[in-house]
Amino acid sequence: MRTALEASIEHRVTLIDGDKDNILPGIHARLGSGHTIGQQFVLVDTDAGRRVISGDCVYSRRQFTGHNHDGVYVPLNNAVGSVWEQLKTIDKMNDELGGDLSKLVVLHDVERWKDHPVVKEVEGFKIVRLT
């Protein structure tokens, strides 16, 4: 938080309202309202194709596949925003993915990270390399 505050004071922070392409080359933000008001998910263009970084929009792939793998979207049950907006965000993310969940990076899915090489560990937090 201190680093973010210092960057803001030094005018090195740009607030993004809604969707924005090429924040930096190949990095795009999309509004993902629903769970938290004003949240976003991020698209990253890589050599292996575009990846969708979930942010706080979803916590599990199950929200795309359904509890019974029937394709029925599952909203988070602890949203402070709108469940309808949350379902629309899942659909918006799915459009960006083209239905290919292998391109989805769910930040809250701790099981996903165990198979990636650790680049660095800082105060118990691991930085991993996505492949």
Side-chain angles (χ1 to χ4, degrees):
M1 290 301 293
R2 181 178 201 83
T3 301
L5 174 62
E6 289 168 359
S8 178
I9 291 168
E10 296 167 6
H11 301 284
R12 295 185 293 117
V13 173
T14 301
L15 298 178
I16 299 168
D17 185 13
D19 297 349
K20 183 168 174 99
D21 287 328
N22 291 308
I23 298 163
L24 293 171
I27 299 177
H28 321 282
R30 298 290 182 263
L31 181 63
S33 59
H35 172 59
T36 305
I37 297 167
Q39 73 184 3
Q40 294 166 308
F41 60 94
V42 177
L43 311 175
V44 179
D45 297 330
T46 73
D47 291 341
R50 181 168 278 186
R51 298 292 182 256
V52 176
I53 314 300
S54 69
D56 213 23
C57 296
V58 298
Y59 285 11
S60 167
R61 282 180 170 66
R62 184 174 43 223
Q63 291 172 268
F64 289 84
T65 63
H67 289 301
N68 299 314
H69 299 285
D70 53 11
V72 176
Y73 294 157
V74 179
L76 294 169
N77 63 0
N78 60 346
V80 296
S82 160
V83 171
W84 174 244
E85 289 298 318
Q86 196 177 112
L87 292 170
K88 290 189 329 187
T89 292
I90 294 169
D91 197 51
K92 186 176 180 179
M93 292 172 73
N94 204 21
D95 285 346
E96 291 288 353
L97 293 163
D100 183 354
L101 293 183
S102 71
K103 298 177 182 177
L104 176 64
V105 179
V106 180
L107 298 179
H108 285 283
D109 184 359
V110 294
E111 290 300 309
R112 175 175 174 77
W113 304 112
K114 69 181 182 179
D115 297 327
H116 295 287
V118 176
V119 175
K120 186 176 182 179
E121 189 166 342
V122 179
E123 296 179 12
F125 294 97
K126 295 178 182 172
I127 300 170
V128 301
R129 181 176 315 281
L130 289 177
T131 53

